Amino acid sequence: MGPDMHMLPRESHEPLHVAALYRFTRFENCEGLKAPLERLCREQRVRGTLLLAPEGINGTIAGPSEGITRVLEAIRALPDCAELDVKLSGASAMPFHRMKVRLKREIVTMGQPEIDPRASAGTYVEPQEWNALIADPDTIVIDTRNDYEVAVGMFEGAIDPQTTSFRDFPAWFRHERERLLGPDYIKGGKPARVAMFCTGGVRCEKSTAFLKQEGVDEVFHLKGGILKYLETVPAEASLWRGECFVFDQRVTIGHGLAQSTYTLCHACRRPVSAGDAASPLYEAGVSCPACHSERSEQQRASCRERHRQELLAAAQGRAHIGAVQIKLHDGHTD
């Protein structure tokens, strides 16, 4: 069994912790950080994905409490990472197939290389103060996540950009700018006030910096993202509607960061509701209503065989070498 295939014992009842983390900083030698960090994670039985780029670190990892603690200590010891942003939650089963540390150009891909969140990100708003901000009719609330994430839940009254990739966000904003901000703003009248949110906070670091670069001065974002809001704001006081998509095998979570009701289409990595699963276009591991038309019968046959192999491997208590890791968009998995 190769080094990617390490597993927690199937019979183990050891509590699992999930850490969604990011930090914008300046790494001079990402290549030199990769191997030691990956080795430590494997030694500590930690799985998930960490992204390293010249602009910082981003990712979601899971493992036993002591292992997660040791890995977080090591990351906080990296240059300018003492203030690492971390959201902790639990999982009933290991939500990742393997451990990967990947080198990237950006830790969250926006395609705007001139943006520096360390210098120009928007103003943080604590979860406890978020409701008042977004309930104000003068606040424009924008969800920076992708369409399949928004489909399972969002804040009441928020604008959905209907983007399929975070890279699409700048073009969407520039196209919709006048409609969103109104003639008073365009003519130099009352300044617009924009509040933005994402899963864990990392996408908003860039999107708020982007809006400020575009000349919007009053830009705010939810500190800690939706994850921190769902952890700290009680359901009875919440303005969140639905569930929150997360980038691991839990698929969605609700208030208190409890695992929720969606499953995952292992063909396209989109969330699957109970209604989707009842559709004739749904076949576990092969297709769902969202992706059935995107694939040929030959591609579905390939997915079907891969799914069969994964089920066989799971029954034998081993990880399938072809298992696909959920792609990180917000670092946590954002």
Side-chain angles (χ1 to χ4, degrees), residues 23-56:
R23 176 68 176 173
F24 282 97
T25 184
R26 186 62 60 189
F27 288 148
E28 300 296 335
N29 180 19
C30 295
E31 182 66 46
L33 300 176
K34 180 179 185 296
L37 193 52
E38 195 164 39
R39 183 169 57 250
L40 174 63
C41 288
R42 288 173 174 161
E43 288 171 352
Q44 296 300 322
R45 295 184 297 155
V46 167
R47 299 188 207 165
T49 298
L50 293 173
L51 307 180
L52 290 171
E55 67 179 9

PDB file of all heavy atoms in Angstrom, residues 23-56:
ATOM      1  N   ARG A  23      -4.145  31.388   5.086  1.00  0.00           N
ATOM      2  CA  ARG A  23      -3.362  32.561   5.489  1.00  0.00           C
ATOM      3  C   ARG A  23      -2.713  33.165   4.254  1.00  0.00           C
ATOM      4  O   ARG A  23      -2.005  32.469   3.512  1.00  0.00           O
ATOM      5  CB  ARG A  23      -2.270  32.172   6.495  1.00  0.00           C
ATOM      6  CG  ARG A  23      -1.342  33.310   6.902  1.00  0.00           C
ATOM      7  CD  ARG A  23      -2.041  34.365   7.722  1.00  0.00           C
ATOM      8  NE  ARG A  23      -1.138  35.405   8.196  1.00  0.00           N
ATOM      9  CZ  ARG A  23      -1.524  36.516   8.819  1.00  0.00           C
ATOM     10  NH1 ARG A  23      -2.807  36.734   9.049  1.00  0.00           N
ATOM     11  NH2 ARG A  23      -0.636  37.414   9.208  1.00  0.00           N
ATOM     12  N   PHE A  24      -2.985  34.438   4.016  1.00  0.00           N
ATOM     13  CA  PHE A  24      -2.274  35.158   2.968  1.00  0.00           C
ATOM     14  C   PHE A  24      -0.976  35.694   3.557  1.00  0.00           C
ATOM     15  O   PHE A  24      -0.973  36.437   4.537  1.00  0.00           O
ATOM     16  CB  PHE A  24      -3.116  36.320   2.427  1.00  0.00           C
ATOM     17  CG  PHE A  24      -4.179  35.886   1.471  1.00  0.00           C
ATOM     18  CD1 PHE A  24      -5.487  35.695   1.902  1.00  0.00           C
ATOM     19  CD2 PHE A  24      -3.876  35.659   0.137  1.00  0.00           C
ATOM     20  CE1 PHE A  24      -6.474  35.278   1.020  1.00  0.00           C
ATOM     21  CE2 PHE A  24      -4.860  35.240  -0.759  1.00  0.00           C
ATOM     22  CZ  PHE A  24      -6.160  35.051  -0.312  1.00  0.00           C
ATOM     23  N   THR A  25       0.125  35.261   2.977  1.00  0.00           N
ATOM     24  CA  THR A  25       1.440  35.704   3.413  1.00  0.00           C
ATOM     25  C   THR A  25       2.361  35.610   2.204  1.00  0.00           C
ATOM     26  O   THR A  25       1.905  35.384   1.087  1.00  0.00           O
ATOM     27  CB  THR A  25       1.961  34.861   4.596  1.00  0.00           C
ATOM     28  OG1 THR A  25       3.208  35.387   5.050  1.00  0.00           O
ATOM     29  CG2 THR A  25       2.115  33.396   4.222  1.00  0.00           C
ATOM     30  N   ARG A  26       3.645  35.773   2.407  1.00  0.00           N
ATOM     31  CA  ARG A  26       4.586  35.711   1.289  1.00  0.00           C
ATOM     32  C   ARG A  26       5.558  34.560   1.520  1.00  0.00           C
ATOM     33  O   ARG A  26       6.353  34.599   2.432  1.00  0.00           O
ATOM     34  CB  ARG A  26       5.351  37.032   1.165  1.00  0.00           C
ATOM     35  CG  ARG A  26       6.251  37.126  -0.052  1.00  0.00           C
ATOM     36  CD  ARG A  26       5.484  37.037  -1.349  1.00  0.00           C
ATOM     37  NE  ARG A  26       4.484  38.081  -1.516  1.00  0.00           N
ATOM     38  CZ  ARG A  26       3.586  38.105  -2.474  1.00  0.00           C
ATOM     39  NH1 ARG A  26       3.515  37.108  -3.342  1.00  0.00           N
ATOM     40  NH2 ARG A  26       2.713  39.095  -2.567  1.00  0.00           N
ATOM     41  N   PHE A  27       5.430  33.515   0.713  1.00  0.00           N
ATOM     42  CA  PHE A  27       6.340  32.375   0.784  1.00  0.00           C
ATOM     43  C   PHE A  27       7.360  32.492  -0.341  1.00  0.00           C
ATOM     44  O   PHE A  27       7.011  32.579  -1.514  1.00  0.00           O
ATOM     45  CB  PHE A  27       5.586  31.054   0.633  1.00  0.00           C
ATOM     46  CG  PHE A  27       4.754  30.664   1.825  1.00  0.00           C
ATOM     47  CD1 PHE A  27       3.580  29.951   1.667  1.00  0.00           C
ATOM     48  CD2 PHE A  27       5.149  30.999   3.114  1.00  0.00           C
ATOM     49  CE1 PHE A  27       2.810  29.580   2.756  1.00  0.00           C
ATOM     50  CE2 PHE A  27       4.390  30.634   4.215  1.00  0.00           C
ATOM     51  CZ  PHE A  27       3.207  29.922   4.041  1.00  0.00           C
ATOM     52  N   GLU A  28       8.632  32.458   0.031  1.00  0.00           N
ATOM     53  CA  GLU A  28       9.705  32.560  -0.968  1.00  0.00           C
ATOM     54  C   GLU A  28      10.052  31.204  -1.572  1.00  0.00           C
ATOM     55  O   GLU A  28      10.559  31.126  -2.681  1.00  0.00           O
ATOM     56  CB  GLU A  28      10.962  33.177  -0.321  1.00  0.00           C
ATOM     57  CG  GLU A  28      10.750  34.576   0.244  1.00  0.00           C
ATOM     58  CD  GLU A  28      10.409  35.601  -0.830  1.00  0.00           C
ATOM     59  OE1 GLU A  28      10.793  35.377  -2.004  1.00  0.00           O
ATOM     60  OE2 GLU A  28       9.755  36.606  -0.514  1.00  0.00           O
ATOM     61  N   ASN A  29       9.780  30.129  -0.826  1.00  0.00           N
ATOM     62  CA  ASN A  29      10.196  28.803  -1.287  1.00  0.00           C
ATOM     63  C   ASN A  29       9.114  27.773  -0.982  1.00  0.00           C
ATOM     64  O   ASN A  29       9.213  26.988  -0.050  1.00  0.00           O
ATOM     65  CB  ASN A  29      11.526  28.396  -0.626  1.00  0.00           C
ATOM     66  CG  ASN A  29      11.998  27.027  -1.079  1.00  0.00           C
ATOM     67  OD1 ASN A  29      11.556  26.514  -2.114  1.00  0.00           O
ATOM     68  ND2 ASN A  29      12.889  26.422  -0.311  1.00  0.00           N
ATOM     69  N   CYS A  30       8.061  27.800  -1.784  1.00  0.00           N
ATOM     70  CA  CYS A  30       6.956  26.850  -1.578  1.00  0.00           C
ATOM     71  C   CYS A  30       7.421  25.410  -1.744  1.00  0.00           C
ATOM     72  O   CYS A  30       6.988  24.508  -1.018  1.00  0.00           O
ATOM     73  CB  CYS A  30       5.828  27.148  -2.563  1.00  0.00           C
ATOM     74  SG  CYS A  30       5.031  28.737  -2.317  1.00  0.00           S
ATOM     75  N   GLU A  31       8.297  25.177  -2.695  1.00  0.00           N
ATOM     76  CA  GLU A  31       8.795  23.825  -2.962  1.00  0.00           C
ATOM     77  C   GLU A  31       9.461  23.246  -1.725  1.00  0.00           C
ATOM     78  O   GLU A  31       9.305  22.058  -1.410  1.00  0.00           O
ATOM     79  CB  GLU A  31       9.775  23.855  -4.132  1.00  0.00           C
ATOM     80  CG  GLU A  31      10.320  22.496  -4.527  1.00  0.00           C
ATOM     81  CD  GLU A  31       9.255  21.574  -5.098  1.00  0.00           C
ATOM     82  OE1 GLU A  31       8.476  22.023  -5.954  1.00  0.00           O
ATOM     83  OE2 GLU A  31       9.208  20.400  -4.670  1.00  0.00           O
ATOM     84  N   GLY A  32      10.208  24.081  -1.002  1.00  0.00           N
ATOM     85  CA  GLY A  32      10.892  23.606   0.197  1.00  0.00           C
ATOM     86  C   GLY A  32       9.947  23.305   1.352  1.00  0.00           C
ATOM     87  O   GLY A  32      10.301  22.544   2.261  1.00  0.00           O
ATOM     88  N   LEU A  33       8.751  23.871   1.333  1.00  0.00           N
ATOM     89  CA  LEU A  33       7.773  23.635   2.399  1.00  0.00           C
ATOM     90  C   LEU A  33       6.943  22.383   2.158  1.00  0.00           C
ATOM     91  O   LEU A  33       6.417  21.783   3.086  1.00  0.00           O
ATOM     92  CB  LEU A  33       6.825  24.832   2.506  1.00  0.00           C
ATOM     93  CG  LEU A  33       7.442  26.190   2.827  1.00  0.00           C
ATOM     94  CD1 LEU A  33       6.367  27.274   2.804  1.00  0.00           C
ATOM     95  CD2 LEU A  33       8.142  26.173   4.172  1.00  0.00           C
ATOM     96  N   LYS A  34       6.828  21.992   0.895  1.00  0.00           N
ATOM     97  CA  LYS A  34       5.892  20.949   0.497  1.00  0.00           C
ATOM     98  C   LYS A  34       6.173  19.593   1.151  1.00  0.00           C
ATOM     99  O   LYS A  34       5.306  19.012   1.824  1.00  0.00           O
ATOM    100  CB  LYS A  34       5.901  20.800  -1.025  1.00  0.00           C
ATOM    101  CG  LYS A  34       4.961  19.729  -1.576  1.00  0.00           C
ATOM    102  CD  LYS A  34       5.045  19.684  -3.085  1.00  0.00           C
ATOM    103  CE  LYS A  34       4.032  18.703  -3.676  1.00  0.00           C
ATOM    104  NZ  LYS A  34       4.299  17.310  -3.283  1.00  0.00           N
ATOM    105  N   ALA A  35       7.358  19.045   0.963  1.00  0.00           N
ATOM    106  CA  ALA A  35       7.657  17.688   1.427  1.00  0.00           C
ATOM    107  C   ALA A  35       7.576  17.546   2.944  1.00  0.00           C
ATOM    108  O   ALA A  35       6.950  16.595   3.446  1.00  0.00           O
ATOM    109  CB  ALA A  35       9.031  17.244   0.907  1.00  0.00           C
ATOM    110  N   PRO A  36       8.171  18.467   3.737  1.00  0.00           N
ATOM    111  CA  PRO A  36       8.065  18.320   5.201  1.00  0.00           C
ATOM    112  C   PRO A  36       6.632  18.388   5.700  1.00  0.00           C
ATOM    113  O   PRO A  36       6.249  17.646   6.611  1.00  0.00           O
ATOM    114  CB  PRO A  36       8.889  19.506   5.733  1.00  0.00           C
ATOM    115  CG  PRO A  36       9.817  19.866   4.619  1.00  0.00           C
ATOM    116  CD  PRO A  36       9.064  19.582   3.361  1.00  0.00           C
ATOM    117  N   LEU A  37       5.819  19.252   5.086  1.00  0.00           N
ATOM    118  CA  LEU A  37       4.434  19.384   5.523  1.00  0.00           C
ATOM    119  C   LEU A  37       3.636  18.134   5.172  1.00  0.00           C
ATOM    120  O   LEU A  37       2.846  17.624   5.983  1.00  0.00           O
ATOM    121  CB  LEU A  37       3.821  20.616   4.853  1.00  0.00           C
ATOM    122  CG  LEU A  37       2.487  21.131   5.389  1.00  0.00           C
ATOM    123  CD1 LEU A  37       2.553  21.338   6.898  1.00  0.00           C
ATOM    124  CD2 LEU A  37       2.125  22.435   4.691  1.00  0.00           C
ATOM    125  N   GLU A  38       3.855  17.608   3.984  1.00  0.00           N
ATOM    126  CA  GLU A  38       3.154  16.391   3.574  1.00  0.00           C
ATOM    127  C   GLU A  38       3.570  15.208   4.451  1.00  0.00           C
ATOM    128  O   GLU A  38       2.738  14.392   4.867  1.00  0.00           O
ATOM    129  CB  GLU A  38       3.456  16.098   2.106  1.00  0.00           C
ATOM    130  CG  GLU A  38       2.508  15.093   1.477  1.00  0.00           C
ATOM    131  CD  GLU A  38       2.594  15.124  -0.041  1.00  0.00           C
ATOM    132  OE1 GLU A  38       3.722  15.264  -0.564  1.00  0.00           O
ATOM    133  OE2 GLU A  38       1.551  15.014  -0.700  1.00  0.00           O
ATOM    134  N   ARG A  39       4.861  15.121   4.757  1.00  0.00           N
ATOM    135  CA  ARG A  39       5.361  14.023   5.597  1.00  0.00           C
ATOM    136  C   ARG A  39       4.743  14.094   6.998  1.00  0.00           C
ATOM    137  O   ARG A  39       4.327  13.075   7.566  1.00  0.00           O
ATOM    138  CB  ARG A  39       6.885  14.086   5.666  1.00  0.00           C
ATOM    139  CG  ARG A  39       7.506  12.933   6.473  1.00  0.00           C
ATOM    140  CD  ARG A  39       9.012  12.886   6.289  1.00  0.00           C
ATOM    141  NE  ARG A  39       9.656  14.142   6.650  1.00  0.00           N
ATOM    142  CZ  ARG A  39      10.226  14.980   5.786  1.00  0.00           C
ATOM    143  NH1 ARG A  39      10.213  14.710   4.490  1.00  0.00           N
ATOM    144  NH2 ARG A  39      10.796  16.100   6.197  1.00  0.00           N
ATOM    145  N   LEU A  40       4.682  15.295   7.577  1.00  0.00           N
ATOM    146  CA  LEU A  40       4.105  15.451   8.907  1.00  0.00           C
ATOM    147  C   LEU A  40       2.636  15.029   8.911  1.00  0.00           C
ATOM    148  O   LEU A  40       2.183  14.328   9.823  1.00  0.00           O
ATOM    149  CB  LEU A  40       4.228  16.906   9.366  1.00  0.00           C
ATOM    150  CG  LEU A  40       3.545  17.246  10.695  1.00  0.00           C
ATOM    151  CD1 LEU A  40       4.192  16.465  11.843  1.00  0.00           C
ATOM    152  CD2 LEU A  40       3.607  18.746  10.958  1.00  0.00           C
ATOM    153  N   CYS A  41       1.886  15.431   7.908  1.00  0.00           N
ATOM    154  CA  CYS A  41       0.468  15.068   7.845  1.00  0.00           C
ATOM    155  C   CYS A  41       0.300  13.556   7.815  1.00  0.00           C
ATOM    156  O   CYS A  41      -0.554  12.995   8.519  1.00  0.00           O
ATOM    157  CB  CYS A  41      -0.175  15.699   6.617  1.00  0.00           C
ATOM    158  SG  CYS A  41      -0.395  17.491   6.732  1.00  0.00           S
ATOM    159  N   ARG A  42       1.101  12.890   7.023  1.00  0.00           N
ATOM    160  CA  ARG A  42       0.994  11.425   6.936  1.00  0.00           C
ATOM    161  C   ARG A  42       1.383  10.762   8.247  1.00  0.00           C
ATOM    162  O   ARG A  42       0.743   9.798   8.681  1.00  0.00           O
ATOM    163  CB  ARG A  42       1.851  10.929   5.784  1.00  0.00           C
ATOM    164  CG  ARG A  42       1.245  11.271   4.426  1.00  0.00           C
ATOM    165  CD  ARG A  42       2.168  10.920   3.295  1.00  0.00           C
ATOM    166  NE  ARG A  42       1.488  11.133   2.021  1.00  0.00           N
ATOM    167  CZ  ARG A  42       2.104  11.259   0.866  1.00  0.00           C
ATOM    168  NH1 ARG A  42       3.431  11.202   0.822  1.00  0.00           N
ATOM    169  NH2 ARG A  42       1.428  11.436  -0.246  1.00  0.00           N
ATOM    170  N   GLU A  43       2.423  11.276   8.882  1.00  0.00           N
ATOM    171  CA  GLU A  43       2.842  10.721  10.174  1.00  0.00           C
ATOM    172  C   GLU A  43       1.738  10.859  11.216  1.00  0.00           C
ATOM    173  O   GLU A  43       1.568   9.999  12.083  1.00  0.00           O
ATOM    174  CB  GLU A  43       4.102  11.432  10.666  1.00  0.00           C
ATOM    175  CG  GLU A  43       5.367  11.092   9.888  1.00  0.00           C
ATOM    176  CD  GLU A  43       6.532  11.977  10.271  1.00  0.00           C
ATOM    177  OE1 GLU A  43       6.316  12.962  11.032  1.00  0.00           O
ATOM    178  OE2 GLU A  43       7.661  11.707   9.814  1.00  0.00           O
ATOM    179  N   GLN A  44       0.963  11.943  11.115  1.00  0.00           N
ATOM    180  CA  GLN A  44      -0.089  12.226  12.095  1.00  0.00           C
ATOM    181  C   GLN A  44      -1.452  11.694  11.673  1.00  0.00           C
ATOM    182  O   GLN A  44      -2.458  12.006  12.295  1.00  0.00           O
ATOM    183  CB  GLN A  44      -0.169  13.745  12.329  1.00  0.00           C
ATOM    184  CG  GLN A  44       1.082  14.342  12.942  1.00  0.00           C
ATOM    185  CD  GLN A  44       1.399  13.745  14.298  1.00  0.00           C
ATOM    186  OE1 GLN A  44       0.495  13.464  15.103  1.00  0.00           O
ATOM    187  NE2 GLN A  44       2.673  13.547  14.580  1.00  0.00           N
ATOM    188  N   ARG A  45      -1.488  10.887  10.585  1.00  0.00           N
ATOM    189  CA  ARG A  45      -2.724  10.293  10.081  1.00  0.00           C
ATOM    190  C   ARG A  45      -3.753  11.361   9.711  1.00  0.00           C
ATOM    191  O   ARG A  45      -4.949  11.234   9.948  1.00  0.00           O
ATOM    192  CB  ARG A  45      -3.311   9.316  11.095  1.00  0.00           C
ATOM    193  CG  ARG A  45      -2.422   8.097  11.347  1.00  0.00           C
ATOM    194  CD  ARG A  45      -3.095   7.108  12.282  1.00  0.00           C
ATOM    195  NE  ARG A  45      -3.315   7.686  13.592  1.00  0.00           N
ATOM    196  CZ  ARG A  45      -4.263   7.289  14.433  1.00  0.00           C
ATOM    197  NH1 ARG A  45      -5.115   6.328  14.070  1.00  0.00           N
ATOM    198  NH2 ARG A  45      -4.406   7.845  15.606  1.00  0.00           N
ATOM    199  N   VAL A  46      -3.252  12.430   9.128  1.00  0.00           N
ATOM    200  CA  VAL A  46      -4.086  13.548   8.689  1.00  0.00           C
ATOM    201  C   VAL A  46      -4.234  13.468   7.179  1.00  0.00           C
ATOM    202  O   VAL A  46      -3.270  13.231   6.454  1.00  0.00           O
ATOM    203  CB  VAL A  46      -3.464  14.892   9.111  1.00  0.00           C
ATOM    204  CG1 VAL A  46      -4.126  16.063   8.402  1.00  0.00           C
ATOM    205  CG2 VAL A  46      -3.565  15.062  10.628  1.00  0.00           C
ATOM    206  N   ARG A  47      -5.448  13.674   6.682  1.00  0.00           N
ATOM    207  CA  ARG A  47      -5.708  13.679   5.248  1.00  0.00           C
ATOM    208  C   ARG A  47      -6.386  14.972   4.829  1.00  0.00           C
ATOM    209  O   ARG A  47      -6.896  15.724   5.657  1.00  0.00           O
ATOM    210  CB  ARG A  47      -6.614  12.507   4.862  1.00  0.00           C
ATOM    211  CG  ARG A  47      -6.057  11.143   5.159  1.00  0.00           C
ATOM    212  CD  ARG A  47      -6.982  10.110   4.548  1.00  0.00           C
ATOM    213  NE  ARG A  47      -6.915   8.848   5.275  1.00  0.00           N
ATOM    214  CZ  ARG A  47      -7.805   7.890   5.132  1.00  0.00           C
ATOM    215  NH1 ARG A  47      -8.826   8.040   4.317  1.00  0.00           N
ATOM    216  NH2 ARG A  47      -7.675   6.758   5.795  1.00  0.00           N
ATOM    217  N   GLY A  48      -6.436  15.200   3.533  1.00  0.00           N
ATOM    218  CA  GLY A  48      -7.063  16.396   2.991  1.00  0.00           C
ATOM    219  C   GLY A  48      -6.190  16.990   1.908  1.00  0.00           C
ATOM    220  O   GLY A  48      -5.356  16.309   1.300  1.00  0.00           O
ATOM    221  N   THR A  49      -6.350  18.286   1.677  1.00  0.00           N
ATOM    222  CA  THR A  49      -5.547  18.983   0.692  1.00  0.00           C
ATOM    223  C   THR A  49      -5.085  20.315   1.258  1.00  0.00           C
ATOM    224  O   THR A  49      -5.878  21.061   1.841  1.00  0.00           O
ATOM    225  CB  THR A  49      -6.344  19.257  -0.605  1.00  0.00           C
ATOM    226  OG1 THR A  49      -6.726  18.017  -1.185  1.00  0.00           O
ATOM    227  CG2 THR A  49      -5.505  20.026  -1.611  1.00  0.00           C
ATOM    228  N   LEU A  50      -3.803  20.592   1.073  1.00  0.00           N
ATOM    229  CA  LEU A  50      -3.237  21.897   1.397  1.00  0.00           C
ATOM    230  C   LEU A  50      -2.656  22.481   0.116  1.00  0.00           C
ATOM    231  O   LEU A  50      -1.958  21.781  -0.621  1.00  0.00           O
ATOM    232  CB  LEU A  50      -2.147  21.780   2.470  1.00  0.00           C
ATOM    233  CG  LEU A  50      -2.621  21.362   3.866  1.00  0.00           C
ATOM    234  CD1 LEU A  50      -1.415  21.119   4.775  1.00  0.00           C
ATOM    235  CD2 LEU A  50      -3.540  22.418   4.475  1.00  0.00           C
ATOM    236  N   LEU A  51      -2.954  23.733  -0.143  1.00  0.00           N
ATOM    237  CA  LEU A  51      -2.436  24.436  -1.306  1.00  0.00           C
ATOM    238  C   LEU A  51      -1.391  25.435  -0.855  1.00  0.00           C
ATOM    239  O   LEU A  51      -1.639  26.237   0.053  1.00  0.00           O
ATOM    240  CB  LEU A  51      -3.561  25.163  -2.047  1.00  0.00           C
ATOM    241  CG  LEU A  51      -4.783  24.343  -2.444  1.00  0.00           C
ATOM    242  CD1 LEU A  51      -5.796  25.230  -3.168  1.00  0.00           C
ATOM    243  CD2 LEU A  51      -4.393  23.153  -3.302  1.00  0.00           C
ATOM    244  N   LEU A  52      -0.226  25.388  -1.479  1.00  0.00           N
ATOM    245  CA  LEU A  52       0.850  26.333  -1.203  1.00  0.00           C
ATOM    246  C   LEU A  52       1.093  27.174  -2.445  1.00  0.00           C
ATOM    247  O   LEU A  52       1.185  26.648  -3.556  1.00  0.00           O
ATOM    248  CB  LEU A  52       2.137  25.600  -0.833  1.00  0.00           C
ATOM    249  CG  LEU A  52       2.187  24.868   0.506  1.00  0.00           C
ATOM    250  CD1 LEU A  52       3.454  24.016   0.583  1.00  0.00           C
ATOM    251  CD2 LEU A  52       2.150  25.865   1.660  1.00  0.00           C
ATOM    252  N   ALA A  53       1.200  28.486  -2.269  1.00  0.00           N
ATOM    253  CA  ALA A  53       1.478  29.393  -3.372  1.00  0.00           C
ATOM    254  C   ALA A  53       2.321  30.542  -2.837  1.00  0.00           C
ATOM    255  O   ALA A  53       2.407  30.734  -1.616  1.00  0.00           O
ATOM    256  CB  ALA A  53       0.171  29.921  -3.971  1.00  0.00           C
ATOM    257  N   PRO A  54       2.924  31.307  -3.720  1.00  0.00           N
ATOM    258  CA  PRO A  54       3.696  32.466  -3.238  1.00  0.00           C
ATOM    259  C   PRO A  54       2.878  33.428  -2.384  1.00  0.00           C
ATOM    260  O   PRO A  54       3.443  34.167  -1.583  1.00  0.00           O
ATOM    261  CB  PRO A  54       4.156  33.133  -4.549  1.00  0.00           C
ATOM    262  CG  PRO A  54       4.248  32.009  -5.519  1.00  0.00           C
ATOM    263  CD  PRO A  54       3.101  31.097  -5.174  1.00  0.00           C
ATOM    264  N   GLU A  55       1.536  33.375  -2.511  1.00  0.00           N
ATOM    265  CA  GLU A  55       0.692  34.283  -1.733  1.00  0.00           C
ATOM    266  C   GLU A  55       0.205  33.684  -0.415  1.00  0.00           C
ATOM    267  O   GLU A  55      -0.494  34.355   0.333  1.00  0.00           O
ATOM    268  CB  GLU A  55      -0.506  34.729  -2.557  1.00  0.00           C
ATOM    269  CG  GLU A  55      -1.500  33.622  -2.880  1.00  0.00           C
ATOM    270  CD  GLU A  55      -2.700  34.120  -3.683  1.00  0.00           C
ATOM    271  OE1 GLU A  55      -2.661  35.289  -4.129  1.00  0.00           O
ATOM    272  OE2 GLU A  55      -3.662  33.342  -3.860  1.00  0.00           O
ATOM    273  N   GLY A  56       0.553  32.393  -0.115  1.00  0.00           N
ATOM    274  CA  GLY A  56       0.150  31.850   1.173  1.00  0.00           C
ATOM    275  C   GLY A  56      -0.249  30.387   1.150  1.00  0.00           C
ATOM    276  O   GLY A  56       0.190  29.614   0.299  1.00  0.00           O
TER     277      GLY A  56
END
